[in-house]
């Protein structure tokens, strides 16, 4: 293992935690991303609780999702979280309109949560933890953690197992309610379970990564290699000119 293969030891524990917090904030959207995730579903269940009007509830949820995207575009901010919200709400609206069952507004999101929870577990068992694939580019380490930073790979595995377990536990609560509860009961429980499990998963990820070795900045390595290659070329050109 060369010196480039080892995470730098110069970064203090506080700096490592700060970098981890910033990366998690960027990857998962922060407070604004959470609001954009919760607001459409909250609006849907609120309107439906008041007047039991599926069409009005669905249109209002979709409209607020579109407004959130427009606000992102106007402010020239990243739109990935808002766009994902629009697609999720759109699928829910289409599904509920097709079946005429208001509870089906929530079903696509529930199935997505189930699939994502399984993906976290399965990818970790296969040696490629999903949380590492998500956060690797954010930390500028890409996939270097797989072969060059075993301590970090272990942290990503723990975090992925945590995400998978939390999401599957959430599904274990929601799917029985889908079958046995009414639309408003399911909707309010789902809204209540939007943020706390997410914050728990993010906090556990922060705990695992804050204790892990620092990421290897592969972009900095590539820049250093390119600079060294240019210097060698200039040196060769100088020697040939002499």
């Amino acid at each position: 293992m060369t010196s480039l293969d080892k995470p730098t030891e110069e970064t203090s524990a506080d700096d490592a935690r700060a970098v981890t917090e910033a990366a998690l904030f960027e990857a998962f959207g922060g407070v604004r991303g959470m609001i954009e995730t919760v607001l459409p579903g909250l609006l849907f269940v609120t309107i439906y609780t008041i007047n039991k009007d599926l069409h009005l509830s669905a249109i209002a949820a979709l409209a607020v999702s579109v407004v959130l995207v427009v606000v992102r575009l106007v402010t020239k901010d990243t739109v990935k979280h808002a766009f994902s919200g629009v697609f999720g709400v759109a699928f829910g609206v289409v599904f509920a309109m097709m079946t005429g069952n208001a509870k089906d507004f929530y079903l696509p999101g529930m199935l997505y949560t189930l699939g994502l929870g399984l993906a976290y577990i399965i990818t970790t068992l296969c040696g490629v933890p999903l949380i590492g694939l998500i956060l690797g580019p954010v930390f500028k380490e890409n996939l270097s953690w797989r072969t060059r930073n075993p301590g970090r790979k272990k942290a990503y595995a723990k975090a992925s197992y945590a995400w998978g377990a939390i999401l599957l536990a959430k599904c274990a609560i929601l799917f029985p309610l889908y079958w046995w509860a009414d639309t408003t009961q399911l909707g309010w429980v789902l809204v209540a379970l939007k943020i706390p499990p997410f914050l728990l998963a993010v906090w556990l990820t922060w705990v695992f990564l804050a204790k892990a070795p620092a990421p290897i900045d592969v972009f900095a390595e590539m820049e250093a290699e390119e600079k060294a290659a240019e210097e060698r070329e200039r040196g060769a050109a100088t020697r040939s000119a002499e």
Side-chain angles (χ1 to χ4, degrees):
M1 181 180 288
T2 66
S3 60
L4 289 176
D5 294 332
K6 298 178 181 179
T8 178
E9 297 178 357
E10 296 178 357
T11 304
S12 67
D14 290 341
D15 289 340
R17 291 190 183 95
V19 170
T20 301
E21 290 173 3
L24 290 175
F25 193 89
E26 176 183 344
F28 298 115
V31 174
R32 187 173 181 179
M34 287 187 288
I35 292 173
E36 291 170 344
T37 299
V38 172
L39 191 56
L42 177 60
L43 187 60
F44 178 91
V45 70
T46 300
I47 295 175
Y48 191 83
T49 299
I50 295 172
N51 60 20
K52 304 299 188 224
D53 188 328
L54 169 59
H55 291 81
L56 179 60
S57 302
I59 292 172
L62 186 58
V64 75
S65 298
V66 173
V67 169
L68 292 173
V69 171
V70 171
V71 170
R72 288 270 190 175
L73 291 172
V74 170
T75 58
K76 298 181 179 180
D77 202 349
T78 177
V79 297
K80 61 180 180 180
H81 299 289
F83 265 130
S84 64
V86 167
F87 289 128
V89 172
F91 276 118
V93 168
V94 170
F95 211 71
M97 293 295 189
M98 289 176 59
T99 64
N101 185 351
K103 282 197 291 187
D104 287 339
F105 172 80
Y106 303 109
L107 188 57
M110 291 166 56
L111 292 173
Y112 173 78
T113 300
L114 176 60
L116 187 59
L118 292 174
Y120 275 114
I121 301 296
I122 293 171
T123 55
T124 306
L125 291 174
C126 293
V128 192
L130 180 58
I131 199 70
L133 298 178
I134 295 171
L135 294 180
V138 178
F139 282 111
K140 299 181 180 180
E141 60 182 334
N142 285 348
L143 296 179
S144 62
W145 51 267
R146 287 198 64 201
T147 56
R148 300 172 57 190
N149 204 340
R152 197 156 182 87
K153 180 180 179 180
K154 185 177 180 179
Y156 280 139
K158 290 180 180 179
S160 290
Y161 278 132
W163 276 90
I166 290 169
L167 292 178
L168 293 179
K170 181 177 176 179
C171 290
I173 297 172
L174 294 178
F175 276 97
L177 289 176
Y178 174 79
W179 295 109
W180 301 326
D182 60 31
T183 301
T184 56
Q185 290 171 333
L186 173 62
W188 286 113
V189 171
L190 199 148
V191 168
L193 289 179
K194 277 284 187 180
I195 301 301
F198 172 80
L199 291 179
L200 175 59
V202 170
W203 178 75
L204 288 173
T205 302
W206 176 83
V207 169
F208 295 137
L209 292 182
K211 297 178 180 179
I216 300 169
D217 191 337
V218 294
F219 295 105
E221 288 185 354
M222 288 188 291
E223 290 176 358
E225 291 173 359
E226 290 175 357
K227 185 176 180 180
E230 291 175 357
E231 291 177 352
R232 287 194 297 270
E233 290 176 0
R234 286 197 296 268
T238 300
R239 287 193 297 272
S240 62
E242 293 175 351

